[in-house]
Amino acid sequence: MFRPEYLALALCTAALPLPATAGAWKHPVDGGFAATSFTLRRSDQGLVSEFGFYRDFGVSPHFDLGIDLTHQGSQRVGLPGRHSGQQSGHVLVFARLPLRQGASKTQIAAELALGSNHTNLLWHPMYRVSLSAGRSKATQHGNLWGNLDLIYEQRGDAPHPLWKVNGSFGLDSNRRVSPLLQIETSFGRDTDLSYSLTPSLRIKLAGFSFAGKQRFENSELTIGLEYRRANTQSLGLKIALWQRF
């Protein structure tokens, strides 16, 4: 179920990665990013809200540490009014290990995440293993980049693991607005293929101030439309606030 404090937190905490989420890119020591997102969409199950928070940082030249938190809730609309539907989410702590790095190379990194997932606040152990590959190329319009993630995920309340292939593609330039495309897929044994497509605009917040002080020099706001196909189809609005540290 949607809670107003989630939206308030999304607007008050910040987040911007090295291309989209860090993925294959290793952070410098003491550097990193946080990403806070909020999605609201209507589906056959009712009004669905999703909150996500992602934070990582470079601990040493050899690995990064981070946290990945999500919560999803639905509100079913009917007579005489609305009532709460299913809730789900997870909390994971992860380590990223760089396998291949370099300015002119394809970046490769592995990630191991451990934590818990819940359905209606019934918690179960969960783990996730990821392999990421990313590359960027300078063009006359800016820095074109892409990142692919291959993910093996096992939730404690699921009989079989899930495989996921996710991609993020974007363009970094000197313009205030730039494009971003995010693709997520999920499949597994006895599980139908599900996917989502989210084209977005990234808006640089540098130059904006709050209470007379500039607070957004390394921040971006992303606004996108998410189309999701998972048993049923849904369309939602996704807003995220990013910041590099």
Side-chain angles (χ1 to χ4, degrees):
M1 183 175 64
F2 169 63
R3 297 180 180 179
E5 60 265 31
Y6 291 163
L7 181 57
L9 181 60
L11 295 176
C12 293
T13 55
L16 159 69
L18 300 171
T21 52
W25 277 264
K26 170 73 176 70
H27 286 300
V29 176
D30 296 329
F33 81 97
T36 306
S37 64
F38 177 76
T39 306
L40 188 64
R41 53 191 170 87
R42 181 173 292 277
S43 70
D44 293 343
Q45 285 73 45
L47 193 63
V48 179
S49 61
E50 297 178 5
F51 169 80
F53 179 74
Y54 185 100
R55 174 74 168 95
D56 68 357
F57 55 94
V59 176
S60 80
H62 306 293
F63 67 95
D64 297 343
L65 287 179
I67 183 171
D68 178 12
L69 180 154
T70 66
H71 180 83
Q72 174 179 300
S74 63
Q75 291 182 335
R76 298 181 182 275
V77 180
L79 296 176
R82 297 182 178 181
H83 62 278
S84 298
Q86 189 178 68
Q87 300 184 52
S88 62
H90 68 246
V91 178
L92 295 171
V93 176
F94 64 86
R96 178 184 300 112
L97 306 176
L99 303 180
R100 186 172 188 258
Q101 301 286 297
S104 60
K105 299 178 180 179
T106 297
Q107 319 291 305
I108 301 176
E111 208 174 272
L112 174 63
L114 301 174
S116 298
N117 72 286
H118 79 87
T119 301
N120 294 328
L121 300 181
L122 181 61
W123 291 89
H124 305 272
M126 173 182 173
Y127 69 88
R128 184 177 69 198
V129 180
S130 307
L131 182 65
S132 301
R135 194 170 180 89
S136 61
K137 181 179 181 180
T139 70
Q140 61 179 349
H141 301 292
N143 193 42
L144 186 66
W145 58 266
N147 185 86
L148 289 175
D149 301 313
L150 175 62
I151 300 169
Y152 178 88
E153 181 178 285
Q154 178 64 67
R155 296 173 177 256
D157 56 347
H160 306 293
L162 288 175
W163 287 94
K164 298 182 178 182
V165 179
N166 300 337
S168 297
F169 309 92
L171 178 70
D172 290 332
S173 68
N174 295 325
R175 298 180 179 179
R176 184 170 292 277
V177 179
S178 58
L180 171 68
L181 175 64
Q182 294 171 303
I183 303 170
E184 298 180 356
T185 67
S186 177
F187 53 93
R189 182 179 173 183
D190 300 327
T191 302
D192 294 333
L193 172 68
S194 63
Y195 64 89
S196 68
L197 302 173
T198 311
S200 304
L201 292 177
R202 295 168 53 193
I203 304 169
K204 294 180 180 179
L205 299 181
F208 289 94
S209 63
F210 178 75
K213 297 181 179 180
Q214 291 190 350
R215 300 172 180 264
F216 306 108
E217 288 308 301
N218 295 313
S219 303
E220 294 187 13
L221 181 70
T222 72
I223 302 175
L225 289 177
E226 180 194 75
Y227 171 77
R228 178 172 295 185
R229 181 67 179 267
N231 297 323
T232 61
Q233 303 180 61
S234 63
L235 185 65
L237 176 66
K238 183 174 183 178
I239 300 174
L241 188 63
W242 296 349
Q243 185 176 12
R244 181 182 293 133
F245 299 99

